[in-house]
């Protein structure tokens, strides 16, 4: 009754809307997807029409320079716009979630910005702890 499409980037599949539609035809009532959001806005209408009901997006910063540092590409504004569009296309509590990995001394000064976005767009924001490994500097 519930399926989440994830792994890598599901939006890279050219036939993703067909897959969502086939799942809906099988009677799956809750079809979710996890994405980085970079191409979501363009594909969102066909996915929702096919039966997509929930979406999780990953965004770890609201600053362009930090987004570039994390992802090695531009596109923060594109992801924020995709979040806004998803909130409009899938209204309702819990249907659009934004996952934010909180990193000490990197983006922990942006938590209020994410809370403001959650309030403005009507989405859920989940703050996720950065995995504590000695090799990633967590204990520094």
């Amino acid at each position: 009754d519930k399926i989440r499409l994830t792994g890598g980037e599901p939006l890279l599949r050219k036939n993703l809307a067909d897959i969502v539609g086939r799942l809906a035809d099988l009677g799956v009532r809750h079809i979710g997807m996890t994405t980085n959001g970079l191409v979501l806005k363009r594909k969102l209408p066909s996915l929702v029409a096919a039966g997509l009901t929930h979406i999780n997006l990953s965004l770890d910063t609201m600053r362009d320079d930090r987004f570039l540092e994390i992802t090695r590409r531009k596109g923060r504004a594109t992801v924020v716009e995709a979040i806004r569009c998803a909130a409009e296309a899938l209204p309702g509590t819990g249907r659009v979630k934004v996952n934010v990995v909180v990193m000490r001394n990197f983006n922990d000064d942006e938590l209020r910005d994410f809370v403001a976005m959650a309030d403005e767009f009507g989405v859920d924001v989940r703050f996720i702890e950065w995995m504590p490994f000695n090799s990633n500097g967590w204990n520094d």
Side-chain angles (χ1 to χ4, degrees), residues 1-13:
D1 165 78
K2 183 177 180 180
I3 290 181
R4 175 166 313 283
L5 304 167
T6 188
E9 175 52 57
L11 292 173
L12 294 178
R13 292 192 66 96

Side-chain angles (χ1 to χ4, degrees), residues 45-139:
S46 64
L47 291 167
V48 171
L52 187 74
T53 61
H54 294 79
I55 192 156
N56 288 10
L57 293 107
S58 299
L59 181 64
D60 296 330
T61 182
M62 296 295 282
R63 289 182 36 183
D64 290 329
D65 60 325
R66 290 177 179 172
F67 186 90
L68 181 62
E69 184 177 342
I70 294 169
T71 65
R72 295 182 296 275
R73 66 176 67 165
K74 294 179 181 179
R76 185 209 52 86
T78 300
V79 175
V80 171
E81 178 63 9
I83 294 167
R84 186 193 63 74
C85 290
E88 288 178 2
L90 298 169
T93 303
R95 295 188 72 189
V96 178
K97 296 176 183 171
V98 179
N99 297 328
V100 181
V101 176
V102 179
M103 295 166 272
R104 185 177 359 160
N105 299 321
F106 184 76
N107 67 347
D108 56 350
D109 60 334
E110 299 181 61
L111 301 183
R112 289 178 191 244
D113 298 329
F114 281 103
V115 171
M117 180 187 67
D119 185 48
E120 179 182 349
F121 294 166
V123 300
D124 293 345
V125 171
R126 300 188 294 184
F127 295 112
I128 301 168
E129 179 183 15
W130 189 37
M131 295 302 292
F133 297 107
N134 287 334
S135 64
N136 68 11
W138 179 261
N139 296 322

